[in-house]
Amino acid sequence: MTVATVSTQGSEPVFHVIDEHAHPEGASTMLGFWIYLMSDCLIFAMLFATYGVLGGNYAAGPAPKDLFDLKLVALNTTMLLLSSITYGFAMLTMEKSRIGATQIWLAITGLFGLAFLGIELTEFAHMIHEGATPQRSAFLSSFFTLVGTHGLHVTFGLVWLVTLMVQTARFGLTEANRRRLMCLSMFWHFLDVVWIGVFTFVYLLGMLR
């Protein structure tokens, strides 16, 4: 890009031409997305810290041993981990420019994500039915905030996934769509890592209290 600037020396204007190298389209996308993921890390770090402080305050209400079903949570964890594997297959087929196979793997990833959300909502509904609502105790407030925030991220990820499937179907695996799929890949795997922390710190350690 060429930019003309003006300075004054005496009464006559002097123009200096500044030559800037070309910036490829989307060159800053990955850096910006990494910055976003780091900000999300801070959000979850605060939520984990909050749960660590408040997670033992039951206010004479139900404790983790009274509420958590580890078999159900393990099934839910499996759904999310499988979705991460299938997204990896989608990335492999994307590298080979196989649009159809990429779409199939993305769809399977979405189904696993929906299964994860369905199981999580079932768990929430059961807890609320038992009277374990967020306002019942500090433990439940911090639990619903942490796990619910992760669930919202998965929901937004599914919306993003469907949007990219539509974009890929319409325009193919363009450079922009490949870059967007890579960003979603980082986001999806990031959610898996966060959920491993939730499963360990909230559910497993909760059952040992």
Side-chain angles (χ1 to χ4, degrees), residues 72 117-127:
L72 185 66
L117 285 178
I119 295 172
E120 188 170 274
L121 290 174
T122 300
E123 180 191 27
F124 283 0
H126 174 72
M127 291 173 67

Side-chain angles (χ1 to χ4, degrees), residues 2-41:
T2 302
V3 180
T5 62
V6 183
S7 64
T8 57
Q9 294 179 353
S11 59
E12 295 294 327
V14 178
F15 293 87
H16 301 278
V17 178
I18 302 175
D19 291 324
E20 226 179 83
H21 66 278
H23 296 281
E25 181 186 358
S28 61
T29 300
M30 298 303 288
L31 173 61
F33 198 76
W34 272 110
I35 293 174
Y36 159 72
L37 284 183
M38 293 305 101
S39 68
D40 237 12
C41 279

